[in-house]
Amino acid sequence: MTEEAGISPGPAKLRLAVIIACWNYAEYVDEAIRSVLDQTHCDCELIVVDDGSTDGSWDVIQRHPVRAYKIDNCGQRAACSFGVSKTSAQFVLFLDADDTLAPGSLETILRELDDNVAKLQFPLVRTDRNGLVIGDPVPNLASFRDNGELARLVLKNGTYASPPTSGNVFRRDLCEFLKEATYDRAVDGILLFAAPFFGDIVSLSTPLGRYRVHDRNDSGLGRPLDAQILRREIARFADRMGHLRRILDRIGRAEELVQVGETQYFLERSIYLAIAEGHRVPVTLLWHLIGKIWATGNSFKTRSAMVAFLLFTAILPNRNARRGLSYRLDAGDRSMTGLLRALF
């Protein structure tokens, strides 16, 4: 069942649509909507999808002059896909209902978009649930336009540096992959993986939005170390890699994609899971991961710090290792001094 409210559909051809899918975020969605409505650029539209909220979110959404739809709960991915079906815009930004866009951000984004862009990305400033800044923007991105190197990174290791959901703009045709991703409730997984193979990636170094960290983040940020969340992350990563392999098979590149168990993400999360479950870190897994880290293009300092952390967590008692891992995965700013204090 779908309920519709708000203004009539906008122009048939728009450059960019912002889609907010909201599920029980009544305390945040007003700010998210206003951050879009307060933008000065008019060559875009806002669509809000209430994904079966039961907390009054729909009442908050209806206060604004936006195209809004209330649907039965189906999860973020399906709700966002529904939103895409309600716009003809060439590009789509999925703004989480607890995040916000910075003033002037849409104008900046629109200047960078053209038909050859598959994805545009930008950092997000991290805040706590009350909107207070708690750390540096994530991730630390350089400004560049890529047409092949990120695809090679994905083929080699399955991932590349990419922001949370609200820091990405996708070309509309890529959103068709969402219909296939029935294994996933999140919206950005397969789109991030596949985008480098279907066009250029534009990366901006300037933060254009805010990413709110609280105890209801799907990523688990802001919550204590949780083995269940880590197991879910590993399983979802494996499913996404399998989906990507099927997509790459259509363009004749599936054989180039690394196996899931050989990726740094899988190895790292597997070690984290062992610690979270109170087990000793498997030595073979540890050395395999260290080899992967050392083969990356990161600075010597970054690689050394990561290897040192892994070695400490492997040899220290589990209680110390859990404290160190919780510190490393925390959303706030971190330091070597703080990490050593957590470990010891």
Side-chain angles (χ1 to χ4, degrees):
M1 179 179 178
T2 301
E3 185 177 351
E4 182 176 355
I7 61 177
S8 59
K13 204 65 175 176
L14 288 166
R15 196 69 169 153
L16 175 66
V18 178
I19 296 175
I20 299 176
C22 175
W23 180 69
N24 288 346
Y25 270 170
E27 68 268 47
Y28 302 131
V29 69
D30 178 77
E31 191 174 353
I33 291 173
R34 284 191 289 106
S35 78
V36 180
L37 294 180
D38 289 345
Q39 302 283 323
T40 57
H41 212 286
C42 61
D43 192 21
C44 63
E45 65 178 333
L46 171 62
I47 294 173
V48 185
V49 181
D50 184 310
D51 186 23
S53 294
T54 58
D55 69 341
S57 292
W58 182 240
D59 293 333
V60 176
I61 293 166
Q62 287 183 295
R63 297 173 193 163
H64 298 279
V66 298
R67 293 179 61 196
Y69 303 87
K70 185 175 179 63
I71 62 175
D72 293 335
N73 180 255
C74 57
Q76 183 196 43
R77 175 193 58 83
C80 286
S81 187
F82 174 88
V84 173
S85 73
K86 299 301 180 180
T87 179
S88 62
Q90 186 179 5
F91 293 91
V92 178
L93 189 162
F94 299 111
L95 178 66
D96 282 346
D98 53 344
D99 294 342
T100 59
L101 292 178
S105 57
L106 294 184
E107 185 174 0
T108 299
I109 290 167
L110 285 163
R111 281 200 304 263
E112 301 291 337
L113 297 177
D114 60 60
D115 294 347
N116 294 321
V117 174
K119 193 193 90 160
L120 178 146
Q121 61 182 23
F122 51 87
L124 299 170
V125 175
R126 288 173 293 172
T127 73
D128 65 12
R129 63 177 299 121
N130 298 313
L132 298 176
V133 176
I134 59 173
D136 293 333
V138 290
N140 182 17
L141 294 174
S143 294
F144 61 81
R145 180 161 180 155
D146 172 84
N147 62 358
E149 181 57 32
L150 292 183
R152 287 188 284 272
L153 281 177
V154 173
L155 291 172
K156 181 180 178 181
N157 210 24
T159 58
Y160 62 95
S162 187
T165 304
S166 302
N168 300 281
V169 176
F170 299 100
R171 200 174 62 220
R172 180 192 181 85
D173 58 309
L174 290 175
C175 296
E176 288 297 308
F177 295 136
L178 293 176
K179 299 175 183 177
E180 305 172 2
T182 54
Y183 55 85
D184 206 343
R185 288 181 67 83
V187 68
D188 54 356
I190 191 58
L191 300 185
L192 299 177
F193 282 36
F197 298 94
F198 293 92
D200 294 352
I201 306 297
V202 173
S203 181
L204 306 179
S205 60
T206 303
L208 298 181
R210 291 193 163 206
Y211 173 56
R212 199 185 304 264
V213 179
H214 53 91
D215 59 1
R216 291 171 58 201
N217 286 119
D218 184 65
S219 64
L221 282 175
R223 281 180 270 177
L225 183 63
D226 189 328
Q228 183 177 349
I229 290 177
L230 289 168
R231 284 193 295 271
R232 186 191 66 184
E233 286 182 348
I234 292 170
R236 186 158 60 185
F237 179 74
D239 286 337
R240 288 170 175 173
M241 286 287 284
H243 189 184
L244 178 63
R245 192 175 301 277
R246 294 191 296 275
I247 291 172
L248 293 181
D249 187 56
R250 302 168 197 169
I251 59 175
R253 303 196 67 177
E255 294 301 317
E256 301 175 56
L257 183 63
V258 65
Q259 295 299 315
V260 175
E262 295 294 312
T263 63
Q264 181 177 331
Y265 184 93
F266 181 89
L267 295 168
E268 190 173 322
R269 286 302 189 274
S270 295
I271 287 178
Y272 292 172
L273 179 59
I275 295 170
E277 292 180 333
H279 305 313
R280 299 293 297 180
V281 174
V283 175
T284 54
L285 202 63
L286 175 64
W287 289 118
H288 198 174
L289 176 56
I290 289 174
K292 283 284 183 181
I293 292 171
W294 213 251
T296 66
N298 294 326
S299 68
F300 179 81
K301 179 181 179 181
T302 299
R303 289 178 292 168
S304 298
M306 184 60 186
V307 169
F309 167 76
L310 290 170
L311 290 174
F312 275 129
T313 54
I315 63 177
L316 288 173
N318 183 261
R319 181 177 60 181
N320 300 71
R322 286 176 62 88
R323 287 205 304 262
L325 181 54
S326 294
Y327 180 82
R328 171 171 166 70
L329 296 178
D330 186 69
D333 281 337
R334 298 173 296 277
S335 66
M336 182 57 69
T337 301
L339 177 58
L340 292 174
R341 187 180 297 117
L343 284 169
F344 298 105

